[in-house]
Amino acid sequence: MPGQAPLTAVIVTFNSSAMLPGLLDSISAGVEGAGPYQVIVVDNNSRDASVSIARQHPEKPIVIEMGSNAGYAAAINAAMDRMDRNSYLLVLNPDLRMHPGAAKALLKRLEDPTVGIAVPRNYKEDGSTAKTIRQEPTLRGVWAEAVLGGHRAARLGYGEVMGNPALYESEQSVDWATGSALMVSPAARTAAGKWDESFFLYSEEVDYQRRVREAGFKIIYEPNAKVMHKGGDSGVNPKLFALLTANRIRYFRRHHGPVSTLLFRAAIGLGGIARCRREVHRAGLKSVLNPEGTVVNFLANRPV
C-alpha cells in the first residue's frame, strides 16, 4: 500500500530562516497517518541561518548543502539522488505550513496507479484558497490574459490560471498546478526522470508535470490535502518577474513552432505595455525582447 512506502519530504531553501521553522514544525502533523517518512533540506548556499536551523530542528532532516545557488530543479535532483527509488517525493516550499493529514490525503490519490502526481489545496494567509490549478500554456490563454487581464481571463476560464472558485472544491484531473507543494509517485518519478535544471527557477514544474503526463500518468488536485502558502516574490520583484517571463517563453518555444512562439511573445508584450507603469511589468517587457539574455543576465548576477 502506498501509505506504508517511504515518503521523502524535500524542502529547498535559500535564505529561508524566517520561514523554515514554521514548516518544519508542521511536518509531523502534516504526515500523520502517511507511514514512515524522512525530511531532506537542500540549501542553495544561504547566507542566513537556514542550514543551522535545519540541523538543530527536532525533525532531524538530512541536510544537503549545494555550495552555490544552483536553482530549484538542481536542488530537487540532488535530493532525489539521496532517496530510495521506491520513495514518494513530497516537494514543499519553505514558506508553507502543512495542515494535519495533508500527506495522507495525497497518498490516497496515488493509490491509483494511473495517477503520477497529487497536488493539495493551497490556502493564503487570509484563509482564502489560492488559485493554483493551471492549464497548459496556449495562444488562446496568453492572448486572453493580454486583452482581458489576468484576473478576468482566469474567472472566465480562458487564461492559464483556473480562477473559478467552484473548481477548487472537488477532486479533478488537471494539466498542472503550481509547484509549491506536490507529491510524485515512485513510478512517475522513474518515468519522468530528473527535473530540468536549465529553467533554474519558474516553469520547471510546468515542464516536469508535462513529462509526467506524457509518460501516461494523471495529475490530480486533491482539495482534502491542505497547506497554507505565504506566496513568492515574483509579482513584486522585477528580476524574478523578468525570469518568470523569460522561462514562460522558453517553455512554450520547446513545444511550438516559431510563428506560434512569436505570437505568444507578442501577447505577453501587449499585456506588459498595458501595465508598464509598474516596474515589474517593464522588466517583463525586456524579457519578451530577449528571453535568453534575461536568463544569462540573471544567472550571472545571482547570489552564489
Side-chain angles (χ1 to χ4, degrees), residues 7-304:
L7 170 67
T8 300
V10 173
I11 305 164
V12 179
T13 55
F14 178 69
N15 296 332
S16 305
S17 61
M19 302 173 289
L20 183 58
L23 172 57
L24 291 173
D25 290 345
S26 74
I27 283 181
S28 60
V31 301
E32 185 177 2
Y37 72 96
Q38 65 177 351
V39 180
I40 299 178
V41 173
V42 189
D43 185 75
N44 271 325
N45 207 29
S46 293
R47 303 303 185 186
D48 63 8
S50 295
V51 170
S52 60
I53 287 170
R55 292 193 188 281
Q56 296 168 18
H57 195 273
E59 278 292 341
K60 301 187 182 305
I62 298 168
V63 177
I64 299 173
E65 295 186 65
M66 296 296 285
S68 67
N69 187 4
Y72 195 68
I76 293 174
N77 288 339
M80 291 202 302
D81 288 341
R82 294 281 296 271
M83 291 170 54
D84 185 281
R85 63 185 180 87
N86 294 316
S87 183
Y88 289 76
L89 168 65
L90 175 61
V91 177
L92 300 170
N93 271 19
D95 57 349
L96 289 173
R97 304 292 181 269
M98 296 185 73
H99 285 223
K104 182 179 180 180
L106 295 175
L107 279 170
K108 185 174 181 180
R109 296 279 68 80
L110 294 175
E111 290 178 359
D112 181 345
T114 68
V115 178
I117 293 178
V119 297
R121 181 198 295 254
N122 280 237
Y123 286 102
K124 300 179 183 179
E125 289 184 291
D126 64 5
S128 62
T129 298
K131 304 303 187 290
T132 56
I133 301 174
R134 301 289 191 268
Q135 299 185 86
E136 182 70 15
T138 63
L139 284 178
R140 187 191 80 158
V142 74
W143 275 98
E145 291 168 356
V147 175
L148 300 174
H151 292 298
R152 184 176 297 175
R155 288 197 305 271
L156 295 174
Y158 295 139
E160 188 172 317
V161 177
M162 303 301 291
N164 183 349
L167 295 175
Y168 292 83
E169 300 304 318
S170 59
E171 172 203 333
Q172 61 184 289
S173 178
V174 301
D175 285 350
W176 66 281
T178 55
S180 57
L182 55 83
M183 186 180 289
V184 189
S185 74
R189 194 157 59 85
T190 298
K194 298 281 190 176
W195 290 57
D196 190 330
E197 298 178 15
S198 71
F199 286 110
F200 187 81
L201 185 66
Y202 305 121
S203 291
E204 70 276 82
E205 81 268 45
V206 194
D207 172 80
Y208 187 79
Q209 291 176 70
R210 181 184 182 119
R211 285 189 282 124
V212 168
R213 296 198 317 271
E214 288 176 342
F217 296 95
K218 292 183 292 186
I219 297 166
I220 296 294
Y221 165 76
E222 174 47 72
N224 293 316
K226 302 171 184 178
V227 299
M228 191 282 286
H229 187 203
K230 180 180 178 182
D233 296 324
S234 62
V236 296
N237 185 311
K239 290 182 179 179
L240 293 180
F241 189 78
L243 183 64
L244 182 151
T245 302
N247 280 345
R248 285 183 70 191
I249 294 168
R250 293 172 66 227
Y251 171 79
F252 187 87
R253 186 172 60 200
R254 286 190 177 186
H255 304 288
H256 301 273
V259 174
S260 292
T261 301
L262 180 62
L263 292 171
F264 189 85
R265 293 171 67 177
I268 295 177
L270 177 64
I273 290 170
R275 300 162 184 85
C276 67
R277 286 175 294 179
R278 294 188 62 196
E279 184 181 0
V280 290
H281 292 294
R282 293 196 296 273
L285 275 173
K286 293 179 181 178
S287 289
V288 172
L289 297 174
N290 187 9
E292 296 299 338
T294 296
V295 175
V296 169
N297 183 65
F298 183 91
L299 295 177
N301 292 283
R302 76 192 189 278
V304 295

